[in-house]
Amino acid sequence: MISLSIGERSPPNKNKRLIDMLNYLFNLIFRSKTMTQPKVTLFSKPHCRYCDRAKVVLDYIGVKYQEYDVTANQRYADASVYLSGVTTVPQIFIGDYHINGTEDLEQLERTGRLEQLVPIDRASLSFDILSDAELHQGAEDFTLGRYLLKSDGSRDRDDESLIILRFCQELFGFLPNTYAYLHNWVEAYQLFYHCHLITAAENIRQVMGLKNLSAIGYSTSNAHGCSYCQVHTVGISSQDENYQNMAAMLKQGRQGKAAENNPFNKLEIALTKLAADATLNRVDQTFLSHIETLAADIADEVDVAKSIEATSLFASSFGFLNVFNELTGLEIEGDIARQVVEDAGIETGRHGVENSNPRNLDYEIPQGNLSIEDVAAKYNAAVGDLDSYAQLEFGFFPAWIKQWSQLNQKRFAYFYSELMGNREHSLISAELKHLMARVSAIAKGHDYLAAAEGYMAYQVATDKERVIGRIKECFIVATNRGKSSDIFNQKEQAALQLAWLSAQIPLTTPYRFIEPIIEFYQPQEVIHLIVVCSVASMVQRFVAVSQPEIETEVSQFYTQHSIETDALKLRYPLPSKLEVNN
């Protein structure tokens, strides 16, 4: 603080106010000239409308920025991914504080939060000390499949597994690579199929037909960027010559350019868009009303509520599959990959391609002693009274489970509790699993789920006082913001960071962000982490459509403990004075 000296004698009272004012003005001018201005960094590329939109926002608020064109050289391209963990542009940094893309930047500006973040003095972003080799290695897309081992479930003789094998034999002719990795956690392998996938698939087939089963699966996977699932869904549809060009037909329909021979009507095309919007958490009530209007115009009687439910349930199946397959980075079976690339132009992307389809189911699979109905009855019986079960397992009855289809409501509750709770077959604590799901929900802008998962973390925690801080700080730790927290160890921090990475679209796995997982977790444990991220994504797609309100007891919990529930504010917190000064 600089002050004006006027000698040892005090001035007359009438002059004191003038001197104080001069002191104030002098300090204001001095501080404005010497204060370190935040350095905004923008990674971009030419002819990118999202990059242009980001520049408009920055120019509007009068912020100067350093721009790096990722197409100019490999170093800038690697630096963008190395620093952000995301392969898309623009990537924006205020100092070293990461703003993930244009839509978040625009939302921050609309809510006035950007103007709060920009003036804060921060460490400047610099990658000068990193060599080209370090940046390139850290940005490398290191798929976890390179670290994991396949499990040969094709000879699993458990009665529940035999049903899965027969399903895959009929649909694909082989056991897909997804199951080869998922089988490492047998309980997850069986529960996903019996408690969700088979019911969701059969439901959409009965309500909307086989062509829409493929179309919904393709559309939600396309929005996510999962080329593995796109190849498989298009491969299924191409078995019928009427739908060999399904991807092109859907694109034309959405653009209003559908040819007369397009087998998809306006309602069906709208439902594929709903599936894509659910993937991105962009479903709005106006569009749901639009779907109802389209249904009224269809000559055949359509139960629009059942169609929306079937779409959301099946899209949620791919919420699990897309994240599992992308985090694993598994190879696509060769014959189906080449067929789809040639016939439909669907690229295999970051997934390698095997020489041919596996021959792992080229034999007569035994019938076993259980039917699909027997397994369903078994899981339903394990739940018993659903209200009591939910209270026991979750501490409340989550609204999204109440909204889940009556066809498999109990089974889904069982699926979720078995994979997210503390169980002998689980290698990760329930508290950490719910905190991972909370991180993923915050990253995707799901206010409701972020609150629900934090509340469930509290319910299962043994140290109730400590978990309050962990609920508050889990996203800050996952994104490396602020000082390192002592309420999470390094192993837990790695898991939270993986949860954040799993919520990015498109999902890639840069080595810098995957290296801690490989350092702290054994391959079997990594499968469990991937499943947790996949379950979180699965619920998010359903909730994006159903849009439940935060439960009263959950809302009261967050108010009582002064915990924020706005996902945008949680994604971009205002640093404390201690963090800024350090």
Side-chain angles (χ1 to χ4, degrees):
M1 188 79 167
I2 296 177
S3 60
L4 294 173
S5 174
I6 57 169
E8 295 181 0
R9 294 171 57 188
S10 299
N13 287 337
K14 64 179 181 179
N15 294 326
K16 187 175 187 304
R17 286 194 299 274
L18 176 61
I19 292 172
D20 287 344
M21 184 176 293
L22 289 171
N23 252 328
Y24 171 77
L25 291 172
F26 184 87
N27 279 285
L28 187 65
I29 295 169
F30 179 82
R31 288 176 61 195
S32 68
K33 289 184 176 180
T34 59
M35 183 175 64
T36 302
Q37 295 297 320
K39 183 176 182 181
V40 175
T41 304
L42 175 71
F43 289 94
S44 66
K45 65 181 180 181
H47 313 298
C48 167
R49 61 190 179 95
Y50 290 102
C51 300
D52 292 340
R53 280 166 51 184
K55 295 174 190 178
V56 167
V57 173
L58 296 175
D59 290 340
Y60 176 75
I61 64 172
V63 172
K64 295 181 179 180
Y65 51 87
Q66 172 69 52
E67 184 175 6
Y68 294 98
D69 177 0
V70 297
T71 66
N73 56 59
Q74 189 63 48
R75 180 174 176 80
Y76 292 167
D78 288 338
S80 180
V81 177
Y82 180 96
L83 296 168
S84 71
V86 186
T87 57
T88 57
V89 289
Q91 294 299 321
I92 306 112
F93 293 83
I94 302 173
D96 60 356
Y97 190 99
H98 179 216
I99 306 294
N100 188 4
T102 299
E103 292 181 349
D104 276 4
L105 186 72
E106 290 175 336
Q107 193 174 359
L108 287 168
E109 192 279 322
R110 283 195 302 271
T111 58
R113 199 165 187 81
L114 185 59
E115 293 184 347
Q116 293 177 285
L117 289 168
V118 165
I120 298 173
D121 188 14
R122 307 176 190 281
S124 61
L125 184 74
S126 175
F127 51 93
D128 292 341
I129 62 172
L130 297 169
S131 68
D132 290 354
E134 288 173 314
L135 287 174
H136 192 65
Q137 181 186 27
E140 178 194 0
D141 188 9
F142 186 94
T143 57
L144 282 168
R146 294 162 63 177
Y147 180 62
L148 304 173
L149 299 174
K150 290 184 179 181
S151 173
D152 185 11
S154 66
R155 294 299 189 273
D156 189 336
R157 289 298 174 261
D158 182 272
D159 285 330
E160 293 185 28
S161 295
L162 288 173
I163 297 171
I164 300 173
L165 296 181
R166 288 197 298 273
F167 169 82
C168 290
Q169 187 182 61
E170 179 183 350
L171 190 62
F172 302 109
F174 57 87
L175 188 67
N177 285 331
T178 298
Y179 293 105
Y181 286 102
L182 185 56
H183 190 264
N184 280 288
W185 188 0
V186 173
E187 289 78 9
Y189 168 82
Q190 294 178 342
L191 287 166
F192 173 65
Y193 178 84
H194 287 290
C195 291
H196 183 68
L197 180 61
I198 186 59
T199 306
E202 186 58 30
N203 185 28
I204 198 169
R205 179 152 45 183
Q206 289 181 2
V207 174
M208 301 171 63
L210 182 59
K211 69 172 183 179
N212 287 296
L213 180 149
S214 295
I216 297 298
Y218 166 77
S219 295
T220 192
S221 301
N222 178 256
H224 189 273
C226 178
S227 54
Y228 183 90
C229 288
Q230 289 179 69
V231 166
H232 280 74
T233 51
V234 171
I236 293 171
S237 70
S238 64
Q239 295 173 16
D240 186 328
E241 61 181 14
N242 293 319
Y243 310 120
Q244 286 183 348
N245 297 318
M246 179 187 71
M249 292 172 179
L250 291 175
K251 183 177 180 180
Q252 292 169 2
R254 288 197 196 166
Q255 295 174 343
K257 302 175 181 178
E260 291 184 4
N261 63 343
N262 195 313
F264 297 99
N265 62 40
K266 290 183 179 180
L267 173 61
E268 292 168 335
I269 290 170
L271 288 168
T272 65
K273 183 180 184 304
L274 176 64
D277 288 349
T279 307
L280 305 173
N281 192 22
R282 292 178 184 168
V283 178
D284 60 56
Q285 290 297 325
T286 301
F287 187 67
L288 290 173
S289 298
H290 174 63
I291 290 175
E292 293 178 0
T293 302
L294 290 173
D297 293 338
I298 298 297
D300 298 330
E301 186 175 337
V302 176
D303 189 326
V304 66
K306 286 188 176 180
S307 296
I308 291 174
E309 178 188 73
T311 297
S312 62
L313 286 172
F314 198 57
S316 70
S317 298
F318 281 89
F320 184 100
L321 291 168
N322 292 163
V323 168
F324 187 89
N325 293 335
E326 291 300 285
L327 280 179
T328 309
L330 40 72
E331 291 186 315
I332 304 176
E333 300 80 14
D335 297 336
I336 191 172
R338 279 183 286 275
Q339 172 196 340
V340 171
V341 169
E342 181 178 345
D343 294 344
I346 304 296
E347 297 295 335
T348 56
R350 58 196 287 267
H351 296 271
V353 176
E354 295 178 327
N355 292 330
S356 61
N357 289 347
R359 301 181 62 86
N360 48 27
L361 296 183
D362 287 358
Y363 69 97
E364 185 175 348
I365 300 172
Q367 281 300 310
N369 299 312
L370 294 177
S371 66
I372 291 177
E373 293 74 21
D374 292 334
V375 178
K378 169 188 169 183
Y379 290 144
N380 287 340
V383 172
D385 179 71
L386 185 55
D387 287 344
S388 301
Y389 183 84
Q391 290 293 335
L392 178 65
E393 292 292 335
F394 313 124
F396 72 120
F397 197 157
W400 87 80
I401 295 181
K402 289 182 181 179
Q403 295 172 337
W404 206 267
S405 170
Q406 292 294 324
L407 295 170
N408 65 339
Q409 202 175 59
K410 285 187 177 183
R411 274 175 284 158
F412 179 75
Y414 187 76
F415 165 87
Y416 189 80
S417 62
E418 283 293 306
L419 297 188
M420 296 296 285
N422 286 315
R423 297 292 190 271
E424 289 186 4
H425 59 73
S426 176
L427 302 178
I428 311 297
S429 75
E431 181 189 323
L432 181 59
K433 286 189 272 192
H434 287 301
L435 291 175
M436 288 175 65
R438 173 171 166 80
V439 166
S440 177
I442 293 170
K444 292 287 286 295
H446 284 279
D447 293 13
Y448 167 81
L449 277 176
E453 293 293 353
Y455 185 68
M456 284 188 280
Y458 178 81
Q459 295 297 319
V460 300
T462 54
D463 189 336
K464 301 295 186 185
E465 183 176 347
R466 183 169 181 262
V467 78
I468 298 298
R470 287 160 68 88
I471 293 168
K472 290 180 177 179
E473 294 190 27
C474 60
F475 192 82
I476 295 173
V477 169
T479 52
N480 296 311
R481 294 204 174 110
K483 300 182 70 175
S484 179
S485 174
D486 59 359
I487 61 174
F488 290 101
N489 59 39
Q490 287 183 298
K491 188 172 182 178
E492 292 173 322
Q493 289 179 38
L496 295 173
Q497 183 171 263
L498 181 70
W500 174 83
L501 193 69
S502 75
Q504 305 310 304
I505 294 179
L507 198 170
T508 54
T509 47
Y511 181 72
R512 177 174 178 243
F513 291 78
I514 292 300
E515 185 179 17
I517 293 295
I518 297 173
E519 178 181 356
F520 292 113
Y521 290 93
Q522 295 299 312
Q524 190 74 12
E525 293 176 304
V526 174
I527 290 291
H528 288 237
L529 293 177
I530 293 173
V531 167
V532 170
C533 295
S534 303
V535 171
S537 175
M538 174 181 176
V539 179
Q540 287 167 17
R541 292 198 195 175
F542 180 78
V543 166
V545 179
S546 61
Q547 300 181 0
E549 297 289 334
I550 296 177
E551 296 84 357
T552 301
E553 59 265 55
V554 176
S555 180
Q556 290 174 345
F557 168 79
Y558 279 82
T559 300
Q560 177 186 352
H561 296 286
S562 302
I563 305 176
E564 180 62 64
T565 56
D566 184 323
L568 182 71
K569 293 179 180 179
L570 290 167
R571 281 204 304 283
Y572 300 106
L574 299 175
S576 67
K577 291 182 179 179
L578 179 63
E579 290 172 332
V580 172
N581 292 335
N582 282 280

